[in-house]
């Protein structure tokens, strides 16, 4: 009620729970102000922010803003570690006959552990080289060949592949390789949200904004929750092919079927037409926007 953040003109907006809502309008019409500044910040601070009051937010266990901000500038963070799938992979390798014969434990299969990481690159897979008149250059580690692990860990094989080899697989390749049901379920989810082309060991700081956004969605979906979740997306179609957008809509519909709610800011006509409710802000931008059209 009475949203006034930035250029919003004291508008009151009803959002339906349990459906997909698209917020549309030209750039500067107030879309981000309404979704991020008002809805998300009001949830985050548990009080009305940028508006007179909010109601109905108590029905959600969690409100998640999934935008295109970078995941991390830390090269040690990868697709596997960000989604916690690395824990499942460590468990699988710790149960191999090679690992048991070498007396290796689950924790040893972390590229950040003392017993697991390559001692030359400290688990980065790359070594930073300082350049006098240019930015620092990262070169593949000669010792582990970019695989992050030491020789003892890389000697353990699963169907002829080391854990370092696994990190160089794409999500789609890993789905064809693994038989572990839990791993397959999680990897299949990554493919469903449109990141099947990414390497399992790909550093988080190398992802595009759209890839980072979809990885955040996957990580959120992999976490178990008892109550309903409100998902807030900022242009989820960014960087997606038409057929990937269709796959994303299937994911959104799955969230709705599970009792969650989806609100997204979008310009893509196909995605907008697939929403249950469309709200348009405007009619113009800046001072000429901020109204519910």
């Amino acid at each position: 009620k009475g949203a006034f953040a930035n250029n919003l003109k004291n508008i009151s907006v009803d959002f339906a729970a349990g459906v997909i809502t698209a917020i549309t309008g030209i750039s500067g019409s107030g879309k981000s102000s309404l979704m991020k500044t008002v809805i998300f910040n009001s949830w985050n601070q548990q009080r009305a922010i940028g508006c007179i009051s909010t109601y109905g937010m108590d029905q959600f266990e969690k409100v998640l803003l999934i935008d295109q901000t970078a995941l991390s500038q830390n090269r040690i963070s990868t697709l596997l570690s960000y989604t916690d799938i690395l824990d499942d992979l460590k468990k699988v390798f710790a149960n191999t006959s090679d690992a048991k014969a070498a007396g290796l434990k689950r924790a040893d299969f972390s590229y950040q552990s003392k017993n697991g990481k390559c001692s030359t690159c400290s688990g980065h897979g790359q070594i930073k080289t300082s350049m006098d008149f240019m930015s620092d250059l990262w070169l593949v580690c000669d010792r582990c060949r970019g695989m992050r692990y030491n020789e003892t860990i890389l000697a353990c094989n699963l169907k002829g592949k080391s854990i370092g080899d696994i990190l160089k697989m794409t999500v789609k390749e890993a789905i064809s390789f693994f038989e572990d049901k839990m791993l397959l379920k999680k990897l299949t989810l990554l493919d469903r949200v449109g990141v099947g082309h990414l390497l399992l060991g790909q550093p988080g700081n190398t992802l595009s904004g759209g890839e980072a956004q979809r990885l955040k969605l996957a990580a959120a979906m992999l976490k178990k929750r008892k109550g309903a979740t409100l998902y807030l997306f900022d242009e989820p179609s960014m960087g997606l092919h038409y057929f990937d957008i269709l796959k994303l809509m299937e994911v959104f519909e799955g969230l709705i079927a599970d009792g969650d709610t989806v609100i997204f800011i979008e310009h893509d006509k196909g995605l907008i037409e697939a929403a249950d409710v469309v709200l348009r802000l405007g009619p113009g931008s800046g001072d000429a926007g901020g109204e519910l059209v």
Side-chain angles (χ1 to χ4, degrees), residues 143-252:
R143 185 164 188 172
C144 68
R145 306 183 309 284
M147 293 190 177
R148 296 177 181 260
Y149 291 92
N150 60 40
E151 293 87 346
T152 303
I153 298 298
L154 293 176
C156 298
N157 286 298
L158 176 69
K159 293 165 64 176
K161 299 288 185 181
S162 71
I163 193 168
D165 294 323
I166 302 297
L167 294 185
K168 293 185 177 295
M169 288 183 179
T170 65
V171 172
K172 286 183 179 293
E173 288 170 343
I175 290 173
S176 300
F177 177 80
F178 283 105
E179 298 173 1
D180 182 84
K181 290 184 179 180
M182 184 57 68
L183 257 177
L184 279 174
K185 181 180 179 181
K186 293 181 178 182
L187 291 169
T188 302
L189 175 60
L190 291 178
D191 188 39
R192 281 176 54 209
V193 301
V195 292
H197 62 288
L198 295 180
L199 299 178
L200 296 184
Q202 189 157 337
N205 66 340
T206 64
L207 302 180
S208 69
E211 289 168 342
Q213 184 181 38
R214 293 189 289 281
L215 199 56
K216 290 176 187 177
L217 169 60
M221 292 174 66
L222 288 171
K223 292 180 180 176
K224 294 180 180 179
R225 293 192 179 89
K226 294 181 180 179
T229 299
L230 169 59
Y231 289 90
L232 306 174
F233 294 92
D234 187 4
E235 295 196 54
S237 71
M238 183 67 71
L240 286 181
H241 183 274
Y242 172 73
F243 292 107
D244 288 324
I245 290 176
L246 293 181
K247 289 170 65 176
L248 186 63
M249 276 310 306
E250 290 179 0
V251 172
F252 286 169

Side-chain angles (χ1 to χ4, degrees), residues 113-164:
S113 70
K114 180 181 177 181
N115 294 333
K117 65 183 178 182
C118 169
S119 58
T120 302
C121 64
S122 296
H124 286 83
Q126 296 176 318
I127 297 175
K128 183 168 69 173
T129 303
S130 297
M131 307 293 286
D132 290 338
F133 304 107
M134 299 170 62
S135 300
D136 291 337
L137 190 65
W138 286 84
L139 301 174
V140 174
C141 174
D142 288 333
R143 185 164 188 172
C144 68
R145 306 183 309 284
M147 293 190 177
R148 296 177 181 260
Y149 291 92
N150 60 40
E151 293 87 346
T152 303
I153 298 298
L154 293 176
C156 298
N157 286 298
L158 176 69
K159 293 165 64 176
K161 299 288 185 181
S162 71
I163 193 168

Side-chain angles (χ1 to χ4, degrees), residues 272-283:
I272 292 170
E273 289 174 0
D276 300 299
V277 180
V278 180
L279 301 175
R280 184 158 69 93
L281 298 185

Side-chain angles (χ1 to χ4, degrees), residues 40-115:
F40 183 67
N41 286 348
S42 292
W43 162 267
N44 236 3
Q45 299 188 34
Q46 294 297 298
R47 62 185 179 90
I49 301 293
C51 63
I52 294 172
S53 64
T54 63
Y55 56 93
M57 301 285 276
D58 55 348
Q59 66 188 287
F60 301 111
E61 178 186 344
K62 191 76 175 174
V63 176
L64 298 173
L65 175 62
I66 301 179
D67 58 14
Q68 296 171 29
T69 54
L71 295 180
S72 170
Q73 292 305 310
N74 187 348
R75 290 175 178 269
I76 212 75
S77 174
T78 62
L79 179 149
L80 281 181
S81 64
Y82 184 79
T83 55
D84 292 332
I85 298 177
L86 183 59
D87 289 337
D88 298 283
L89 187 59
K90 290 189 293 185
K91 183 179 179 181
V92 170
F93 267 89
N95 286 327
T96 61
S97 56
D98 288 341
K100 291 178 179 178
L104 296 170
K105 298 180 180 179
R106 181 175 176 177
D108 296 328
F109 287 91
S110 168
Y111 51 77
Q112 297 184 63
S113 70
K114 180 181 177 181
N115 294 333

